[in-house]
Amino acid sequence: MEQQLDYAAVRAAADRIAAGVRPVAVVPAVVPAGGPAGGTWYALEHLQHTGSFKARGALNFLTAHHRAGSLPAAGVTIASGGNAGLACAWAARARAVPATVFLPANAPHVKVERLRGYGARVRLVGDRYAEALAACQEFAADTGALSSHAYDHPLIAAGAGTLLDEIRTALPGLDTVVVAVGGGGLFAGVATAAREHGVRVVAAEPENCRALNAALAAGRPVDVAVDSVAADSLGATRVSADALRAAQQGGAESVLVPDTAITAARRALWEEHRIVVETGAATALAALRGAPRPPGERVAVILCGANTDPADLATAVS
């Protein structure tokens, strides 16, 4: 299937997945006095199926292939023990096709069991992600299974981009949306839709997981070192070409935040709102806290995932 990432692709994705995903809830960070004029709002995408926005892209990817008749009997395969793997397994179950997920043999037992709970066939290979990925690629070549990706595919990014129009529907007059960036699938989709409506996008990355920021500086995707409290979900070593292209087309700003700010933002969400999110999701809020804001600006912070252990939050506030 030939695909490109543009606003038409995002609209097509919205039509494909409308019946299968939860529309995002948007709530004010502080109840506004006299009506919703300006202020910070939270897009609660951590309440999505599988606990993250990844469900949107995975469902769009599989549904598009199903409708095109290009979904093989061998099903779909992916190398990911994180949110992308969970989303792929969930979407495959929704389409009643097999999913085979490759993980390093040292992957946490809880992740393996969650994947199996979604009906996935789990293959444990090697002790590094690269080994699991190589095995996944070999499996796809041998069986004809459809190979999916955590973020670097137009259908995956377009599915994630459906969030922007849902946020605009819930929050008319949206000025700015803040997005955490790892490999760039969510950013690429959201920025593509945001550009259509003149909405500014802030791309938030940890200082030491800066794949998009480094790509902007180099003018091309480059490999970066990964070392952050948010590396479990934002630790891509290279950003997608679609994400870089979206950032270069204007209306987007790259912001780096230290781990201390990410941890503080995550704790603040818990203490002030009893919202539990991943450190990756808290990165978006960290980019906004303390930053100068135009008067009356209406900002939505996407809280993109909640697949985390809340025990450290309980420890931090006890």
Side-chain angles (χ1 to χ4, degrees), residues 30-91:
V30 178
V31 177
T40 300
W41 299 67
Y42 297 140
L44 306 182
E45 185 64 3
H46 67 296
L47 301 179
Q48 187 55 258
H49 294 293
T50 76
S52 88
F53 75 95
K54 296 282 189 182
R56 294 174 180 268
L59 188 60
N60 185 47
F61 179 80
L62 284 177
T63 302
H65 278 283
H66 175 76
R67 292 182 179 178
S70 55
L71 190 55
V76 63
T77 187
I78 191 171
S80 170
N83 290 338
L86 292 170
C88 181
W90 169 81

Side-chain angles (χ1 to χ4, degrees), residues 36-209:
T40 300
W41 299 67
Y42 297 140
L44 306 182
E45 185 64 3
H46 67 296
L47 301 179
Q48 187 55 258
H49 294 293
T50 76
S52 88
F53 75 95
K54 296 282 189 182
R56 294 174 180 268
L59 188 60
N60 185 47
F61 179 80
L62 284 177
T63 302
H65 278 283
H66 175 76
R67 292 182 179 178
S70 55
L71 190 55
V76 63
T77 187
I78 191 171
S80 170
N83 290 338
L86 292 170
C88 181
W90 169 81
R93 186 179 67 177
R95 290 252 56 100
V97 297
T100 305
V101 181
F102 286 79
L103 302 163
N106 57 3
H109 179 72
V110 65
K111 289 186 176 182
V112 172
E113 290 309 306
R114 277 199 74 188
L115 286 164
R116 287 175 175 156
Y118 283 128
R121 303 166 180 170
V122 178
R123 304 285 181 88
L124 302 175
V125 179
D127 58 7
R128 295 181 298 113
Y129 172 76
E131 294 172 275
L133 177 60
C136 178
Q137 293 168 336
E138 182 178 357
F139 175 81
D142 290 345
T143 65
L146 178 65
S147 183
S148 185
H149 196 278
Y151 59 88
D152 194 3
H153 192 283
L155 286 169
I156 298 292
T162 59
L163 256 173
L164 192 279
D165 281 347
E166 290 184 15
I167 295 170
R168 288 183 65 250
T169 298
L171 190 58
L174 176 68
D175 298 303
T176 301
V177 63
V178 188
V179 184
V181 181
L186 177 60
F187 167 77
V190 166
T192 297
R195 187 169 60 251
E196 185 76 11
H197 303 291
V199 175
R200 186 171 72 100
V201 183
V202 175
E205 295 176 281
E207 288 180 339
N208 295 318
C209 284

Side-chain angles (χ1 to χ4, degrees), residues 42 178 202 204-206 255-266 269 279-291 301 303:
Y42 297 140
V178 188
V202 175
E205 295 176 281
V255 175
L256 299 178
V257 292
D259 278 3
T260 52
I262 295 169
T263 302
R266 180 170 176 258
L269 283 167
T279 48
T283 301
L285 179 59
L288 189 67
R289 297 179 84 207
V301 178
L303 302 180

